[in-house]
Amino acid sequence: MRTEYEPVIGLEIHVQLSTRTKMFCGCELSFGDEPNTHTCAVCLGLPGALPVVNERAIHFGLMIGLAFGCDIAERSEFHRKNYFYPDLPKGYQISQYDQPLCRGGEVGDVRIHRVHLEEDAAKLNHLGESGRIHGSGRSWVDFNRGGTPLVEIVTEPDIRSPEHAREWLTLLRTTLRVLGVSDVNMAEGSLRCDANVSVRPVGSTELGTKTELKNLNSFRFLERGLRAEIRRQIDLLQAGEPVVQETLHYDPRSDRLTPLRSKEEAHDYRYFPEPDLVPVLATEEMIAAARAAIPELPADRAARFERELGLSAERARLLAFRSELGDYYERAVAADGEDPVGLANWIPQLVERIGPDANPAESSVAPESLATLAAMVAAKEVSRDAAREVLTLLVREGGDPRTIVEREGLGALSGEGDGLAEIVQRAIESDPAAAAQVRSGNRKALGPLVGYVMRETKGRADGGEVTRLILERLGPS
Ligand code: ADP
Ligand code: ZN
Ligand code: MG
């Protein structure tokens, strides 16, 4: 019998904090500015320069830890992590080691291992053959990024599929965004994610040998990279070969993974306490201030959507885990709160039309218009099918749903006027077999009759109304 395998995934996420200044100096953060215009003796690592901790970064770190329900260390330390690379002018990165700011906690269904503070490295810009200005094969260092405050979040290996990883990272990003601690933009690198992954036979509780995937700089690549690596590991094990613990680079173009470095040649970072910084003492005042700064979090918002608006857990998560969807939805509910559940059903319809990553607030469909459309469906002024068409038009050209319904003649056909009764009669006459079955109580036979009417009316009739009219004629009275 073939062994079934299950993936085990843990993520390491680096988040650039949106403080005004860098982690250990007064240089301003400056994404996108002219290279090397925001530097000083400290962030260039000049001899004798002394770092000073950014209090705002500690505050943000505490907010994150408290939002995740972590244990906050009363006293945490900075360490030097030593290694050589051209983007690291001091020859070490100031990070946290055995005394991180936060431990434990959870976000959604994934436990957090630790959260610590550190500084970002400078940015290396590689110019290849195509580098227009500087010829081939050179690298340039932009020290503007060097020293940017980072929070590193390490999860426990609680994630069980690539889709789960993607959904969870969405929740994490939204949580950080509503906390207001980061831009959390993967394309710009303010949110960066490495994925550790192993597979094991289903039912086993031991962990398999893991690999670490780098360069997953979008939600799509995270999911695709994991899928490719899980496939590769299962193929190896099924061929009786071992998985080697190593770091892999995912190339989205070829969908292939190539080794970066194996664990044997891994660095010995020679961590030691940073002698130029005092320990961070998280006082009760600091913790109280951080707690007071935490707004409603996505998980709480989802719970509120369930509790107060009656949404299903799944629908509530879908809306709350992406704040732009949740915000849009709440604006629509504010415009017409008659039927929040019915209204929520229209958000996925809208997302389908504007694209999975687009912000509905930036689409041409105003939340008030969506609310109006949903209300018109609820009042049977327009059928569900016709309303879908109206939504497509709203996405394309904006405007008011009532105007579009009128202009396109998409208003619902009613039983009295509009000839709907006649069409129902024709449906019954055209399919006597189905009619007979309905008459004898078989409601399944309604399908072809309703389908006939829908075809004839091009979807403008209301399904419930059509069913009612058919039963009125055929139903057991
Ligand atoms: P390392 O010492 O290699 O950095 P850690 O124990 O610090 O490994 O874990 C780093 C990340 O890898 C964490 O997110 C953790 O959840 C995850 N992880 C650890 N072991 C495994 C495993 N066997 N399979 C998948 N993920 C793992
Ligand atoms: Zn500086
Ligand atoms: Mg680690």
Side-chain angles (χ1 to χ4, degrees):
M1 212 181 75
R2 226 170 153 79
T3 315
E4 292 285 324
Y5 290 94
E6 75 167 353
V8 174
I9 300 163
L11 301 180
E12 290 174 276
I13 299 111
H14 286 91
V15 182
Q16 284 184 345
L17 297 178
S18 45
T19 49
R20 193 177 59 79
T21 56
K22 292 187 181 180
M23 188 71 211
F24 300 112
C25 65
C27 294
E28 285 188 17
L29 302 193
S30 57
F31 182 83
D33 273 14
E34 188 70 15
N36 297 309
T37 52
H38 298 267
T39 61
C40 71
V42 173
C43 57
L44 288 176
L46 302 188
L50 288 175
V52 177
V53 171
N54 183 333
E55 276 182 34
R56 187 92 181 139
I58 307 272
H59 174 69
F60 283 172
L62 290 172
M63 284 176 68
I64 293 169
L66 291 168
F68 295 177
C70 302
D71 292 326
I72 308 292
E74 274 174 44
R75 179 183 190 283
S76 66
E77 268 185 12
F78 285 102
H79 272 66
R80 290 186 182 180
K81 179 179 181 178
N82 299 280
Y83 65 97
F84 172 78
Y85 210 64
D87 62 6
L88 197 66
K90 294 196 293 292
Y92 58 85
Q93 176 196 31
I94 305 179
S95 181
Q96 294 194 301
Y97 183 50
D98 55 356
Q99 297 189 54
L101 188 64
C102 321
R103 282 182 213 268
E106 61 202 18
V107 174
D109 55 358
V110 172
R111 289 168 302 150
I112 300 297
H113 179 61
R114 60 184 274 159
V115 178
H116 74 243
L117 290 164
E118 59 188 29
E119 59 177 336
D120 207 347
K123 187 163 174 46
L124 285 178
N125 295 308
H126 304 287
L127 292 176
E129 299 290 343
S130 59
R132 270 179 303 126
I133 310 166
H134 298 287
S136 63
R138 296 192 198 189
S139 294
W140 301 80
V141 190
D142 176 5
F143 287 99
N144 283 354
R145 196 181 78 175
T148 298
L150 285 185
V151 149
E152 179 175 336
I153 299 163
V154 182
T155 77
E156 297 293 349
D158 286 350
I159 297 170
R160 289 291 173 271
S161 71
E163 303 72 43
H164 187 195
R166 182 187 183 140
E167 195 203 1
W168 185 80
L169 192 63
T170 308
L171 168 62
L172 181 77
R173 180 174 65 165
T174 303
T175 303
L176 295 167
R177 180 178 288 151
V178 305
L179 286 172
V181 297
S182 171
D183 296 338
V184 285
N185 184 324
M186 282 186 102
E188 292 179 355
S190 53
L191 177 70
R192 309 198 283 268
C193 179
D194 300 334
N196 297 269
V197 57
S198 61
V199 300
R200 65 183 175 193
V202 171
S204 162
T205 51
E206 277 168 46
L207 293 173
T209 304
K210 72 174 163 89
T211 57
E212 183 172 359
L213 311 193
K214 301 264 183 194
N215 193 37
L216 305 169
N217 53 13
S218 77
F219 282 84
R220 214 153 47 91
F221 293 167
L222 169 68
E223 195 175 334
R224 281 173 44 188
L226 280 170
R227 208 172 279 146
E229 174 57 9
I230 290 163
R231 183 74 262 148
R232 192 189 70 89
Q233 289 188 14
I234 292 176
D235 286 347
L236 278 174
L237 295 178
Q238 283 179 337
E241 289 171 40
V243 171
V244 177
Q245 177 163 341
E246 59 189 346
T247 303
L248 300 167
H249 178 274
Y250 176 62
D251 176 14
R253 270 189 294 178
S254 63
D255 204 31
R256 307 256 317 227
L257 299 128
T258 46
L260 276 178
R261 53 174 183 259
S262 70
K263 205 71 186 178
E264 293 85 81
E265 27 186 295
H267 304 277
D268 172 3
Y269 293 121
R270 295 166 16 249
Y271 278 100
F272 66 87
E274 166 60 67
D276 293 337
L277 287 169
V278 293
V280 178
L281 302 177
T283 63
E284 273 178 37
E285 293 76 52
M286 286 161 72
I287 290 174
R291 202 183 294 283
I294 297 175
E296 183 185 45
L297 298 169
D300 300 327
R301 192 183 209 186
R304 177 166 59 83
F305 284 172
E306 269 188 74
R307 194 177 61 241
E308 288 178 10
L309 302 178
L311 303 194
S312 70
E314 194 189 352
R315 184 51 53 84
R317 279 204 305 272
L318 179 91
L319 298 181
F321 287 9
R322 277 185 57 197
S323 34
E324 69 274 25
L325 295 188
D327 292 349
Y328 185 93
Y329 173 63
E330 294 218 59
R331 281 174 58 195
V333 170
D336 188 336
E338 273 297 304
D339 178 18
V341 176
L343 190 45
N345 292 334
W346 285 97
I347 306 281
Q349 293 279 336
L350 177 58
V351 169
E352 194 178 292
R353 284 164 176 74
I354 61 177
D357 299 320
N359 180 354
E362 286 160 16
S363 79
S364 48
V365 187
E368 295 76 16
S369 301
L370 195 73
T372 303
L373 187 62
M376 288 172 77
V377 174
K380 299 202 187 321
E381 290 170 44
V382 59
S383 75
R384 206 165 287 281
D385 281 348
R388 291 204 179 96
E389 224 177 299
V390 175
L391 185 58
T392 302
L393 291 169
L394 279 171
V395 167
R396 211 175 292 158
E397 59 194 49
D400 171 52
R402 280 185 202 287
T403 316
I404 292 180
V405 166
E406 229 160 88
R407 188 191 71 203
E408 304 289 323
L410 287 168
L413 300 172
S414 71
E416 296 81 51
D418 300 336
L420 186 57
E422 287 74 31
I423 297 171
V424 166
Q425 190 56 41
R426 277 215 305 284
I428 291 169
E429 283 161 10
S430 77
D431 195 342
Q437 293 219 27
V438 172
R439 212 174 259 117
S440 64
N442 178 6
R443 290 184 65 105
K444 279 199 192 119
L446 276 166
L449 300 179
V450 174
Y452 179 99
V453 177
M454 287 307 181
R455 271 195 309 282
E456 288 291 300
T457 60
K458 299 194 171 60
R460 285 172 58 205
D462 175 73
E465 174 76 352
V466 172
T467 302
R468 194 185 63 74
L469 287 170
I470 295 171
L471 288 176
E472 202 177 83
R473 283 164 179 70
L474 302 177
S477 39

